Amino acid sequence: MMSIPKELTEKKQWVCWRLTPDKDGGKDRKVPFNPVTGQAAASNKPETWTDYDTASDALERYGYTGIGYMFVKGDGIVGVDIDHCYNRETDKFNEAASAIITKQPTYAEFSPSGDGVHLWFKGEKPSGSSKNSSTGVEMYDSVRYFTVTGKQIDGSANTLADGIDTLDWIHKNYIDKKKADKKKKKS
C-alpha cells in the first residue's frame, strides 16, 4: 500500500499510465490510460478517470507502469514538479528543491525516475506561467496529471499543506521567468 494522502485518494481523479517509446526517438512518454476501459485517458475528460482503488487494482491486474492523479481547476489541489533535482549518489537535492521542500512541510514524493520530486498543496496556482525550464520547476492545478509513486520523501508530511503563501513564493522565485532568471544569474 502506498503512502498517498487521503485528500487525494478520496477523489475520482485517478488514471493509470504506461511508459511508451516516443515515435520520433525522443524521451519515452508517460501516457495516461483509463483504468476501467484500457483506452487513453485525457486531462480534460473526467469520464476517463476513476477512483483510487480501481486505478490501483488495474495497475497490478493489467500491468501498467504506474498510477496518476488528474488536476481539476477549482478543486483546490496544486502540484509542484521539480525535475532532475535529486542526486541519488550523494543523497542531496539541488538548491531549488531544497528551498521548496523546506519552505513548508507537505506531502512530497519522488517521481518515477527517482531524481525528480512532486509536492502537493491545497490552494490555487498563481496566474502566469506554469513552467520554468531554467529552474526545472513546474506548477499545475488543471489540465495536467502527475504520476504518483507513493515513494514519500523522508521528513515530508503525510497530508497536503495549505499552500496559499508558499505557492506564491514558489511561483515568484522559481517559475516567474523574469524574477527566477535574475535570481539564477546572481548565483
Side-chain angles (χ1 to χ4, degrees), residues 61 146 165 181:
R61 182 177 297 188
F146 271 9
D165 295 335
D181 290 346

Side-chain angles (χ1 to χ4, degrees), residues 95-109:
E95 179 276 328
S98 292
I100 292 168
I101 290 167
T102 58
K103 179 72 174 168
Q104 180 179 20
T106 193
Y107 179 72
E109 63 175 36

Side-chain angles (χ1 to χ4, degrees), residues 121-161:
F121 293 94
K122 293 180 198 170
E124 274 185 44
K125 181 191 151 310
S127 62
S129 182
S130 294
K131 179 178 183 175
N132 186 327
S133 297
S134 70
T135 64
V137 180
E138 303 173 39
M139 183 184 295
Y140 301 102
D141 68 355
S142 62
V143 198
R144 211 37 120 117
Y145 89 102
F146 271 9
T147 57
V148 177
T149 64
K151 295 176 184 170
Q152 188 172 358
I153 294 173
D154 287 344
S156 75
N158 293 321
T159 58
L160 277 58

Side-chain angles (χ1 to χ4, degrees), residues 33-41 47-48 62 64:
F33 286 90
N34 179 329
V36 176
T37 67
Q39 302 297 309
E47 65 274 14
T48 64
Y62 302 115
Y64 288 106

